[in-house]
Amino acid sequence: LKQWHSLYEDVQTYVYDNCWVLRRTKTGPTRMAVDHDESIDDGSTHSTDLCLKPWKLDHFVYTSNTLEAIKHWSTLEDDAESSKIGLPNERVPTDHLPLAAMFKIHPHPQLDEGLRKQLLASLEELELKQDADTRNTNAAIDNEKISLEEKLELQERVVVEEKPKRKKKPHPEMIQHIRQSRALKKQLKQTQTEERKQFVSGRCVLERMELHHALKMTCNEWIEKGRAK
């Protein structure tokens, strides 16, 4: 069951990333088989008989933004005999009824030009803000490091006899600076990821398609790592 859920989530992500809108044709049950969860008890001393149940196991899934399902074959809802005795039988030599459907093709919908420009302008505004935040954070970290290095150099400027060069451990204050810098960058990354997530959240399929084309990556990829400059 875990593997099934994992597969379902992978497919769901793939459909979302590729901006598909999937629908299922309204076909009926295609298989008549024993339902092991139910049985018929006629009150006799004999064992109960298992009952048959219709199953919807076969489907047509299509992209409804460009296709419209207009007709499909009927299935067990129009086959009283097979519904009663099950499949296969003398008249239907298969355990699954076949499916067929007819579709009408529609032009691919487009986002309104005004909305498209507004969307791309908002995208550019967010990316410029995040670039500026990243530059300012890195500059502040670098400046603090330079100041700290100058301070430590003054403290250690003492005349000593030359000794063989050995690898020197970083000063405790420098170690603290490095740790704080990493934590600051990690926090900034988390904040920016959340900002990108909020930007994409609630967007319609056409908006996500425009973002996909503009970013040259999926929306989920952009949310996770941003766009390299």
Side-chain angles (χ1 to χ4, degrees):
L1 191 60
K2 250 187 194 181
Q3 291 178 337
W4 188 92
H5 281 298
S6 177
L7 177 62
Y8 181 87
E9 289 173 2
D10 288 344
V11 172
Q12 197 174 38
T13 299
Y14 186 85
V15 168
Y16 180 88
D17 284 344
N18 286 276
C19 305
W20 292 352
V21 180
L22 297 181
R23 296 287 183 270
R24 189 187 73 85
T25 54
K26 296 180 180 179
T27 50
T30 57
R31 175 160 167 72
M32 202 72 187
V34 170
D35 184 359
H36 294 280
D37 294 330
E38 294 185 17
S39 59
I40 300 173
D41 191 347
D42 58 5
S44 67
T45 57
H46 301 292
S47 60
T48 57
D49 296 324
L50 293 172
C51 64
L52 294 175
K53 177 182 178 181
W55 297 82
K56 288 186 178 182
L57 299 180
D58 306 286
H59 307 279
F60 272 125
V61 179
Y62 63 97
T63 53
S64 61
N65 46 353
T66 54
L67 295 175
E68 177 188 358
I70 54 178
K71 291 181 181 178
H72 61 266
W73 280 358
S74 61
T75 50
L76 281 171
E77 70 272 14
D78 281 347
D79 189 344
E81 182 182 354
S82 294
S83 296
K84 182 178 180 181
I85 64 177
L87 293 171
N89 54 53
E90 291 184 359
R91 188 171 54 83
V92 183
T94 177
D95 60 348
H96 286 253
L97 291 181
L99 291 178
M102 185 179 292
F103 298 90
K104 183 178 180 181
I105 300 176
H106 293 287
H108 205 294
Q110 300 289 328
L111 188 65
D112 175 78
E113 183 62 19
L115 293 176
R116 188 185 76 85
K117 289 181 178 178
Q118 184 179 352
L119 174 67
L120 297 181
S122 298
L123 172 63
E124 183 180 15
E125 181 182 357
L126 175 60
E127 290 193 313
L128 288 174
K129 172 193 173 295
Q130 292 196 340
D131 286 345
D133 290 344
T134 301
R135 284 195 306 270
N136 292 338
T137 299
N138 289 336
I141 290 172
D142 290 342
N143 290 336
E144 185 178 346
K145 181 181 178 182
I146 292 170
S147 298
L148 182 58
E149 286 174 338
E150 291 174 349
K151 172 188 169 185
L152 296 176
E153 186 179 352
L154 287 173
Q155 290 176 355
E156 296 175 1
R157 191 173 293 169
V158 183
V159 178
V160 294
E161 293 181 6
E162 279 216 26
K163 295 181 180 178
K165 290 186 179 178
R166 290 184 302 176
K167 189 172 180 182
K168 195 165 138 189
K169 288 184 179 179
H171 192 279
E173 287 187 57
M174 183 58 71
I175 293 175
Q176 184 181 10
H177 165 76
I178 292 171
R179 288 174 178 169
Q180 289 176 342
S181 299
R182 288 174 179 170
L184 192 59
K185 288 181 178 181
K186 183 179 179 181
Q187 180 60 48
L188 178 63
K189 182 179 178 182
Q190 291 173 345
T191 299
Q192 292 182 339
T193 298
E194 184 61 29
E195 287 175 347
R196 291 191 292 269
K197 184 177 179 180
Q198 290 299 322
F199 182 85
V200 173
S201 177
R203 299 285 182 185
C204 70
V205 171
L206 295 182
E207 288 176 313
R208 286 192 283 110
M209 288 180 67
E210 288 295 341
L211 290 174
H212 194 156
H213 292 316
L215 296 166
K216 294 182 173 53
M217 62 174 66
T218 68
C219 288
N220 276 329
E221 288 173 336
W222 179 68
I223 289 172
E224 287 302 316
K225 61 186 180 182
R227 182 161 47 160
K229 298 297 181 181

